[in-house]
Amino acid sequence: MPSGTVIPPSTQLGWRETSSLSGTGLTIGVLAMQGAFVEHVRVLTKLGATVREVRLPRDLDGLDGIILPGGESTTIGKLLEAWGVLVPLRSAIARGLPTWGTCAGAILMARDVTDTLPGQPLLSVMDISVRRNAFGRQVQSFETVIVIDGMDTDVPFPAMFIRAPKIESVGPGATAIATLDDGTIVAARQGTWLATSFHPELTSDARFHAWFLDIARANLEHSSDPGFAGAAMP
Amino acid sequence: MTTITDRPVASQVSANGATGVHARTESTWAVKRGLAQMLKGGVIMDVVTSDQAKIAEDAGACAVMALERVPADIRKSGGVARMSDPDLIRAICESVTIPVMAKARIGHFVEAQVLEALGVDYIDESEVLTPADDEFHIDKHGFKVPFVCGCRDLGEALRRVGEGAAMIRTKGEAGTGNVVEAVRHARAVLGEIRKIRSLPIEELMTEAKRLGAPYELIREIHSTGVLPVVNFAAGGIATPSDAALMMQIGVDGVFVGSGIFKSENPAKMARAIVMATTHFRDAGIVAEVSRGVGEPMRGLEVASMPAGERLASRGW
């Protein structure tokens, strides 16, 4: 794109087919307490996964992975606690359940959160520090494109930041996999866990979801291997 | 397919465009609409003080609407209802970490400019306030801040989207605690969408004319089967069952105005409505959360209300 030409990424890219139905045979949960969960359900379904909305502890049984969507982290956290989902979900993730948090979901996953409410229920599993609403209020929300390390393509990914959190640091267990031009970390990976400040589910680009499904499938095959001890982290 | 809703807004800027590599574009249509997508499945509560805003946030509200008087009190006090005091809005913005919305009068683009300058996250161009223009609404594409607008039917919803509203809500009849009008408006919008889905393509222009809606948006709905923006219910929701009713009818979330802080126990009512909105299909849970919430707000019968007192008829 020539410099000076400003075209929102969400409108310049069409649906990027990832060729495969990479979700076939996988059961993926999408936390459905509040927020943009239907958008994730739609992409996962399109990629062939069996999708289950998660609102109660019993919805966690038999999942091969789970997505924690964008929304209000304070609302989602309170609902997780009120319905007894917080503790079993945290245990499932700690046992290695492939998990991807977008925006509010990334806040819930982070071990350390700045600028949330005192006593806010969080999952606190992933070795990242996150600052809530770090880019400012809604008028500072923006779109850009970024490159994701580990995704097997050089085509930049459209990224939408909506009252988004920043990943201020990654601990020894986690790796930064995407940054803005100014160095701000906006995506991280820790084994089978992904956290993004932005919203692939709001774009027409399914590559990030396909990548998460690949991680979930690899985990499933790995854990059915008799030598696998079920350790949390590779 | 490029549609008129993909049109970038006039005010887009590039925060770090100087590097030219990965330019940032603020306030695009997708980003404006995107915040509304983050509010889905949630409850947006009217609050008139910072303390109420905290109660709402603690109860699990996904956003608050900052205003001087809730609609039930606007009805009682009469006079001209205007945008709220900037000090009040700023205080509420500082007291909570969730998004803050505020209301501007229909057509009052300067009130909207002031609200944008104050940094609110969403503006409600609202019939609950006294209209400033009895013919024209605000050109909402011209703002960086996104707008939500009320509607009674699909034509009105799509006129507002055409003007740049990034989120739609039913008007209902605000300040009555009576859900009947919200039900009527939600059924009208969703029923008209179902009808458009079933029409052959050659009938769409005449349908656009009949509804008074932009043709491109009718075409879009014909192919997608959904509104191009998030659609909440508002106006008269007063109990957990009211919220679950609107969700089952097919809206994306609910606004509760007078229904929280005009009830006997606002904190309990707020929390119960949040719970019922998440678990709207589970009657056992709606029953459970409805226990012991105290008296809901006292309601008004809309059918016997003089036409001049109906707020929903404001807007064009």
Side-chain angles (χ1 to χ4, degrees):
Chain A
M1 176 169 49
S3 63
T5 316
V6 181
I7 302 169
S10 62
T11 58
Q12 58 179 284
L13 298 174
W15 181 276
R16 285 186 182 273
E17 287 299 343
T18 51
S19 70
S20 65
L21 285 174
S22 54
T24 306
L26 293 171
T27 301
I28 305 294
V30 179
L31 190 66
M33 296 297 182
Q34 187 273 325
F37 52 86
V38 175
E39 287 79 353
H40 281 293
V41 171
R42 211 170 280 150
V43 186
L44 292 170
T45 305
K46 197 157 183 158
L47 293 173
T50 302
V51 185
R52 186 190 304 151
E53 293 182 3
V54 174
R55 293 185 177 84
L56 294 169
R58 62 169 185 252
D59 301 328
L60 294 168
D61 294 343
L63 293 180
D64 301 314
I66 188 166
I67 291 180
L68 316 177
E72 273 310 309
S73 59
T74 53
T75 304
I76 298 170
K78 285 172 211 306
L79 285 157
L80 279 172
E81 187 172 59
W83 296 101
V85 181
L86 189 73
V87 172
L89 177 57
R90 183 188 288 139
S91 310
I93 297 172
R95 285 195 304 271
L97 180 69
T99 305
W100 171 21
T102 56
C103 194
I107 294 168
L108 292 169
M109 288 175 79
R111 210 180 295 279
D112 183 39
V113 181
T114 311
D115 287 350
T116 190
L117 299 179
Q120 168 65 27
L122 298 164
L123 293 162
S124 310
V125 285
M126 191 167 171
D127 209 0
I128 54 174
S129 295
V130 163
R131 178 178 294 275
R132 235 177 121 219
N133 300 336
F135 293 92
R137 304 194 72 92
Q138 172 63 12
V139 290
Q140 278 94 42
S141 292
F142 63 98
E143 291 180 48
T144 187
V145 291
I146 53 179
V147 176
I148 316 280
D149 292 344
M151 193 183 279
D152 59 350
T153 169
D154 294 333
V155 181
F157 199 89
M160 226 175 280
F161 293 83
I162 298 170
R163 286 174 50 96
K166 285 182 184 173
I167 300 173
E168 293 193 310
S169 63
V170 295
T175 317
I177 56 169
T179 57
L180 297 177
D181 289 348
D182 64 6
T184 305
I185 303 168
V186 292
R189 178 174 180 176
Q190 181 172 357
T192 57
W193 305 336
L194 298 171
T196 59
S197 301
F198 52 93
H199 296 279
E201 77 283 7
L202 299 188
T203 70
S204 49
D205 191 325
R207 285 178 294 160
F208 217 107
H209 288 81
W211 189 41
F212 178 65
L213 291 171
D214 289 344
I215 291 171
R217 181 176 308 284
N219 181 69
L220 184 66
E221 285 162 4
H222 185 48
S223 57
S224 60
D225 173 349
F228 180 62
M233 292 293 51
Chain B
M1 179 174 65
T2 301
T3 69
I4 63 169
T5 53
D6 289 330
R7 183 167 56 186
V9 294
S11 59
Q12 57 177 244
V13 296
S14 179
N16 62 350
T19 66
V21 184
H22 298 133
R24 291 187 195 183
T25 316
E26 288 183 350
S27 300
T28 60
W29 173 249
V31 161
K32 290 172 156 186
R33 196 173 48 170
L35 179 56
Q37 288 174 279
M38 296 307 131
L39 302 174
K40 289 197 305 182
V43 184
I44 301 168
M45 302 182 191
D46 279 6
V47 297
V48 301
T49 64
S50 299
D51 287 344
Q52 288 189 356
K54 293 292 296 171
I55 291 170
E57 183 177 44
D58 287 341
C62 65
V64 291
M65 176 76 69
L67 67 178
E68 263 169 18
R69 287 171 289 170
V70 295
D73 290 332
I74 291 174
R75 278 184 184 285
K76 263 189 222 151
S77 58
V80 175
R82 309 181 179 90
M83 175 189 81
S84 296
D85 179 349
D87 280 342
L88 173 79
I89 292 167
R90 198 159 262 167
I92 289 173
C93 285
E94 281 163 13
S95 68
V96 292
T97 64
I98 56 179
V100 176
M101 301 184 167
K103 290 183 193 285
R105 283 180 267 177
I106 289 173
H108 206 315
F109 52 85
V110 174
E111 283 189 351
Q113 290 164 3
V114 170
L115 292 174
E116 181 175 76
L118 287 170
V120 303
D121 297 299
Y122 240 90
I123 294 176
D124 184 4
E125 185 183 18
S126 178
E127 72 285 356
V128 168
L129 305 183
T130 310
D133 190 322
D134 62 4
E135 207 172 347
F136 304 109
H137 284 250
I138 296 169
D139 167 31
K140 295 166 275 286
H141 284 295
F143 285 77
K144 288 183 71 178
V145 62
F147 281 73
V148 56
C149 286
C151 70
R152 287 162 295 178
D153 53 38
L154 185 61
E156 195 171 16
L158 296 183
R159 288 194 293 279
R160 298 295 86 80
V161 174
E163 292 159 357
M167 178 178 182
I168 286 294
R169 58 171 174 78
T170 62
K171 286 181 171 172
E173 192 54 48
T176 61
N178 188 339
V179 78
V180 64
E181 295 298 303
V183 168
R184 187 201 313 282
H185 300 158
R187 286 202 182 278
V189 170
L190 297 168
E192 283 157 354
I193 289 172
R194 284 190 293 270
K195 182 187 169 196
I196 286 169
R197 276 295 259 182
S198 70
L199 291 178
I201 203 159
E202 66 272 18
E203 295 184 12
L204 296 181
M205 182 59 87
T206 298
E207 187 64 9
K209 180 185 170 194
R210 190 183 72 77
L211 293 172
Y215 176 64
E216 292 82 355
L217 293 177
I218 297 288
R219 286 287 301 266
E220 191 176 334
I221 287 174
H222 185 252
S223 73
T224 64
V226 291
L227 273 181
V229 298
V230 165
N231 177 29
F232 269 47
I237 294 155
T239 67
S241 294
D242 286 350
L245 171 69
M246 298 312 302
M247 293 297 288
Q248 285 198 32
I249 286 174
V251 300
D252 297 317
V254 298
F255 284 86
V256 185
S258 318
I260 306 268
F261 289 97
K262 288 291 172 187
S263 73
E264 185 186 347
N265 188 332
K268 269 193 176 168
M269 183 62 85
R271 191 176 150 86
I273 292 178
V274 168
M275 301 292 172
T277 302
T278 292
H279 296 282
F280 66 94
R281 284 195 207 93
D282 190 328
I285 288 181
V286 177
E288 180 62 29
V289 302
S290 300
R291 294 171 58 206
V293 292
E295 276 289 301
M297 73 177 282
R298 205 177 136 63
L300 292 175
E301 171 56 277
V302 181
S304 60
M305 192 178 275
E309 289 181 17
R310 295 197 189 191
L311 305 178
S313 60
R314 298 166 167 180
W316 2 97

